[in-house]
């Protein structure tokens, strides 16, 4: 099972450093088919990030409502944290579609996001200038947007392939004048494909998923994020049939300019890279299969985007693979 579609606006990028796509939502075993039936995944997600200069000032410019003609001198720092719980029910169909396995799901989230901004921002109209100094903060505890998903997966021995499409339904808590939000204020659609090599006899596994995001205009701000490209990957070694360890990582790059931004921000293309460890554990839950995974990322090479670290603790429960299945199909939240 693939859990997708969550984010904290205070933490991630394009408009004011905020993107629809949350890097790290795919990782190990992403393209392996699951077991037909209903499954449920719960994720606790924590992130702590900071940003300087333009990435911080973008938020100040938005909530400060500065005219597009104003000159801005940037000396700001943004700090943000989020603690979120994500719920992802998914149904996997038994009847093949285009020779593959179809699954549909919906992700929702609730939790708390907080942010604070401090430093100075100097604005000027010709010979006149004004400076805003000090710091202010904001926090919100509420629900976020909804994120429908559809995946189609194929298996050929140790090789597994996936196509997916997902998007953002902007119904979560959002106010363009707030520093912290749990919704992003606009719709988005994202699609791509992935591959997993999984050899259960040797215990070797490697997965990679790549995709593109198209963002619709935010009608509250008349701002439209550019197109984003992202790659998530995971590599693991099974130490037994129940336990594996490995590495996870991601790369995110905005490939077209934003529109509607303050002139000093330019195209405001965002970028970030992350990498970290993971450990997973499979266990029976009655006649179902349970899965527990802990992974974390440290971020670097950020541009026009807050960066820091994030951790994911995932628990999922799903139907057990039938006895005698050649390649164990695991209803795993690979996030």
């Amino acid at each position: 099972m693939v859990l997708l579609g969550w984010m904290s606006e205070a933490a991630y990028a394009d408009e004011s450093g905020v993107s629809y796509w949350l890097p790290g939502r795919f990782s190990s075993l992403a393209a392996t088919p699951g077991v037909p039936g209903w499954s449920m995944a719960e994720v606790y997600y924590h992130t702590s990030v900071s940003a300087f200069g333009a990435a911080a000032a973008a938020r100040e410019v938005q909530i400060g409502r500065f005219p597009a003609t104003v000159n801005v001198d940037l000396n700001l720092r943004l700090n943000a944290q989020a603690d979120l719980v994500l719920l992802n029910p998914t149904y996997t169909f038994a009847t093949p579609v285009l020779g593959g396995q179809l699954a549909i799901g919906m992700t929702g989230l609730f939790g708390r996001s907080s942010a604070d901004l401090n430093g100075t921002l100097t604005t000027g109209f010709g010979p006149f200038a004004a400076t805003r100094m000090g710091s202010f903060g904001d926090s919100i505890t509420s629900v976020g947007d909804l994120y429908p998903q559809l995946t189609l997966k194929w298996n050929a021995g140790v090789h597994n392939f996936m196509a997916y499409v997902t998007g953002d339904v902007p119904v979560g808590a959002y106010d363009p004048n707030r520093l912290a939000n749990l919704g992003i204020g606009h719709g988005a659609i994202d699609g791509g494909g992935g591959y997993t090599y999984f050899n259960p006899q040797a215990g070797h596994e490697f997965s990679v998923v790549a995709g593109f995001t198209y963002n619709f205009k935010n009608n509250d701000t008349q701002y439209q994020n550019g197109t984003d490209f992202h790659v998530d990957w995971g590599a693991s070694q099974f130490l037994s049939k129940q336990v594996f360890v490995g590495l996870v990582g991601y790369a995110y790059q905005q490939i077209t300019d934003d529109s509607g931004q303050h002139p000093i921000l330019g195209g405001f293309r965002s970028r970030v890279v992350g990498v970290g460890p993971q450990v997973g554990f499979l266990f029976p839950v009655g006649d179902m299969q349970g899965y527990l995974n802990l992974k974390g990322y440290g971020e670097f090479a950020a541009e026009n985007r807050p960066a820091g670290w994030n951790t994911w603790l995932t628990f999922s429960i799903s139907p057990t693979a039938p006895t005698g299945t050649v390649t164990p199909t695991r209803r795993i939240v690979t996030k």
Side-chain angles (χ1 to χ4, degrees):
M1 168 177 52
V2 174
L3 176 64
L4 38 103
W6 57 80
M7 69 291 296
S8 163
E9 178 167 351
Y12 285 100
D14 293 22
E15 182 180 6
S16 303
V18 182
S19 67
Y20 158 71
W21 185 261
L22 181 62
R25 67 176 65 175
F26 288 114
S27 56
S28 287
L29 296 165
T32 53
V35 179
W38 282 102
S39 62
M40 171 63 79
E42 302 85 26
V43 178
Y44 167 66
Y45 172 77
H46 173 81
T47 183
S48 179
V49 296
S50 60
F52 304 88
R59 196 62 173 141
E60 171 85 339
V61 168
Q62 178 184 326
I63 64 177
R65 304 282 187 171
F66 291 108
T69 56
V70 73
N71 297 314
V72 182
D73 181 29
L74 314 176
N75 181 21
L76 293 165
R77 177 186 176 94
L78 171 71
N79 295 297
Q81 291 187 342
D83 292 279
L84 307 176
V85 174
L86 305 116
L87 302 177
N88 176 220
T90 298
Y91 185 78
T92 301
F93 294 87
T95 303
V97 175
L98 299 177
Q101 184 185 70
L102 177 67
I104 59 173
M106 179 72 73
T107 298
L109 69 86
F110 66 91
R112 183 176 188 272
S113 175
S114 62
D116 63 83
L117 194 62
N118 57 77
T120 62
L121 188 147
T122 302
T123 63
F125 296 89
F128 303 101
T131 299
R132 174 176 293 180
M133 302 180 63
S135 64
F136 63 98
D138 188 21
S139 65
I140 185 171
T141 301
S142 189
V143 298
D145 294 346
L146 292 176
Y147 315 101
Q149 63 181 11
L150 183 150
T151 63
L152 194 57
K153 299 179 179 182
W154 299 266
N155 171 257
V158 299
H159 305 290
N160 303 271
F161 306 90
M162 175 185 71
Y164 80 89
V165 62
T166 181
D168 184 288
V169 182
V171 296
Y174 172 78
D175 183 337
N177 298 309
R178 293 186 64 100
L179 188 60
N181 282 297
L182 286 173
I184 61 173
H186 65 85
I189 186 168
D190 186 283
Y195 168 78
T196 293
Y197 172 85
F198 179 43
N199 186 328
Q201 285 71 40
H204 303 327
E205 180 274 337
F206 174 75
S207 298
V208 59
V209 180
F212 294 88
T213 304
Y214 176 81
N215 297 283
F216 297 98
K217 181 183 290 187
N218 184 332
N219 290 323
D220 290 318
T221 62
Q222 298 304 305
Y223 194 109
Q224 185 169 7
N225 294 347
T227 299
D228 305 318
F229 173 71
H230 49 83
V231 176
D232 294 351
W233 60 268
S236 61
Q237 174 65 48
F238 279 80
L239 306 179
S240 68
K241 292 183 179 180
Q242 289 76 40
V243 179
F244 68 85
V245 296
L247 294 174
V248 289
Y250 52 72
Y252 171 94
Q253 176 67 62
Q254 184 178 337
I255 58 176
T256 66
D257 292 349
D258 293 350
S259 61
Q261 74 279 18
H262 191 283
I264 195 172
L265 300 177
F268 204 58
R269 298 193 186 191
S270 304
R271 180 186 67 209
V272 75
V273 179
V275 66
Q278 68 164 331
V279 58
F281 177 53
L282 292 146
F283 52 93
V285 179
D287 60 352
M288 303 285 282
Q289 176 181 268
Y291 172 69
L292 192 65
N293 177 268
L294 176 64
K295 64 179 184 178
Y297 299 86
E299 295 184 321
F300 57 96
E303 182 176 337
N304 292 327
R305 182 182 181 96
W309 58 274
N310 57 83
T311 58
W312 313 60
L313 178 62
T314 298
F315 170 72
S316 71
I317 188 168
S318 60
T320 301
T323 302
T325 300
V326 175
T327 301
T329 53
R330 309 176 189 279
R331 299 296 297 146
I332 294 180
V333 177
T334 58
K335 322 299 147 282

